[in-house]
Amino acid sequence: MKINRLRKIHELLEEKKSISINDLCDIFEVSKNTIRRDIAELEKNGIIKKVYGGIVLREQETKPVQPEAEVSTAQTDSHKLHKQKIAQMAANLVEDDDVIYIDSGTTTMHMMPYLEDKHNITIVTASIHVINIAADSAKFNIIATGGTIYAPTKAFVGPSVINCLKDYNISKIFLASTGISIEKGATTASPLEYDIKRYLVDNPAKKILMVDSTKLDSASLITFCNLSEIDCIVVDKDLPPKYMDYFSENKTDVIVSEA
């Protein structure tokens, strides 16, 4: 299956740092044309870089760039403000005694300050950012999933994450996405995080998707759910009519922050 192949290629590169096209053909028992299409998709999404005879992880070739590093300070501050407003509105959905999952992401991590007034909240997370912020407060019960740290998103990945999640009765799940569209649903650029997000979407808990308007009408590498599978979406601006019609038809709540 293509999604499994893309994810496995990513995992192999995490382990081996580089791999040849011939080796990939042997491992997956597919043609070079099939592998080349997979490579083209991974390259398009900035995950790998082609080298002579094979591929390497892009982060191995280039110095990591901080998000929004090339954006002006005013633009960066404005973007951060929008994310904080989304996070504040999402945090309003949390009730005392909730067991919540907070996904990795630059929007979800901003929820933490707005949860300080809640009582007996348990936070389950694979996000290193969330863990670090929560560790400075005695207000929260924190459960870190453990696993292998995936550097680009500063989050734990791997089977141990899902094994951990199976142990807890989560009441609300706060999800992040690198791009959404009606046609492609909610997407992620990380094959290593796909299984975790898919498992969370299949969980009976209430699912809240947090995205800023720059993510609309875009799709990254892998779709982890259809938008109809989301119970609530929190955004920073009024959505275009096609989205409002879609969410109305699918009984999805829409919350617009006051940014």
Side-chain angles (χ1 to χ4, degrees):
M1 198 176 156
K2 182 179 180 180
I3 287 177
N4 291 335
R5 215 168 45 242
L6 293 173
R7 185 167 62 252
K8 185 61 179 176
I9 290 172
H10 201 165
E11 289 172 353
L12 287 169
L13 286 173
E14 286 282 340
E15 178 185 346
K16 298 175 179 294
K17 308 307 177 190
S18 67
I19 192 165
S20 72
I21 292 174
N22 288 335
D23 284 346
L24 289 172
C25 291
D26 291 340
I27 291 167
F28 297 107
E29 298 180 343
V30 295
S31 69
K32 284 188 177 181
N33 284 339
T34 297
I35 290 298
R36 286 191 180 106
R37 284 194 293 270
D38 290 346
I39 288 172
E41 190 157 351
L42 288 166
E43 185 180 35
K44 178 182 175 183
N45 286 278
I47 292 172
I48 62 98
K49 180 178 177 66
K50 287 191 288 188
V51 294
Y52 182 76
I55 56 174
V56 297
L57 278 177
R58 182 168 288 277
E59 57 261 31
Q60 300 298 321
E61 285 293 301
T62 59
K63 209 172 175 182
V65 177
Q66 292 297 323
E68 303 165 1
E70 296 181 359
V71 181
S72 71
T73 301
Q75 288 174 312
T76 301
D77 289 345
S78 176
H79 199 201
K80 182 179 178 181
L81 178 62
H82 282 270
K83 290 175 181 286
Q84 290 172 332
K85 288 291 187 180
I86 292 170
Q88 183 177 17
M89 298 303 290
N92 288 340
L93 301 173
V94 178
E95 301 171 296
D96 293 348
D97 303 314
D98 267 346
V99 178
I100 66 174
Y101 181 87
I102 299 182
D103 199 6
S104 61
T106 56
T107 302
T108 48
M109 63 182 280
H110 288 299
M111 286 182 67
M112 301 305 297
Y114 305 109
L115 296 174
E116 287 280 352
D117 63 340
K118 311 295 181 180
H119 299 285
N120 195 34
I121 299 298
T122 298
I123 299 171
V124 186
T125 187
S127 168
I128 303 298
H129 289 305
V130 171
I131 293 167
N132 286 339
I133 296 169
D136 291 331
S137 173
K139 288 282 296 181
F140 308 115
N141 304 313
I142 302 297
I143 298 172
T145 63
T148 302
I149 294 178
Y150 178 53
T153 58
K154 300 296 186 290
F156 291 114
V157 296
S160 58
V161 177
I162 294 176
N163 289 337
C164 173
L165 294 176
K166 290 177 181 177
D167 292 335
Y168 302 104
N169 295 317
I170 297 171
S171 51
K172 295 182 179 76
I173 296 167
F174 294 88
L175 290 163
S177 174
T178 50
I180 70 166
S181 68
I182 292 173
E183 297 77 15
K184 297 294 185 181
T187 61
T188 176
S190 170
L192 297 178
E193 292 188 300
Y194 166 81
D195 283 343
I196 299 167
K197 290 178 183 286
R198 187 61 242 179
Y199 177 84
L200 290 164
V201 170
D202 288 335
N203 190 292
K206 183 174 183 177
K207 288 161 281 288
I208 299 106
L209 182 63
M210 300 165 59
V211 291
D212 64 78
S213 53
T214 64
K215 307 289 178 62
L216 295 180
D217 292 328
S218 66
S220 50
L221 186 60
I222 301 176
T223 297
F224 64 86
C225 75
N226 296 319
L227 295 184
S228 59
E229 297 178 271
I230 297 298
D231 299 301
C232 176
I233 182 168
V234 186
V235 292
D236 58 327
K237 293 181 181 179
D238 289 330
L239 294 172
K242 66 176 182 179
Y243 282 95
M244 295 303 297
D245 291 344
Y246 180 90
F247 288 130
S248 176
E249 289 169 9
N250 287 283
K251 297 180 171 56
T252 302
D253 295 329
V254 178
I255 298 175
V256 181
S257 71
E258 299 173 357

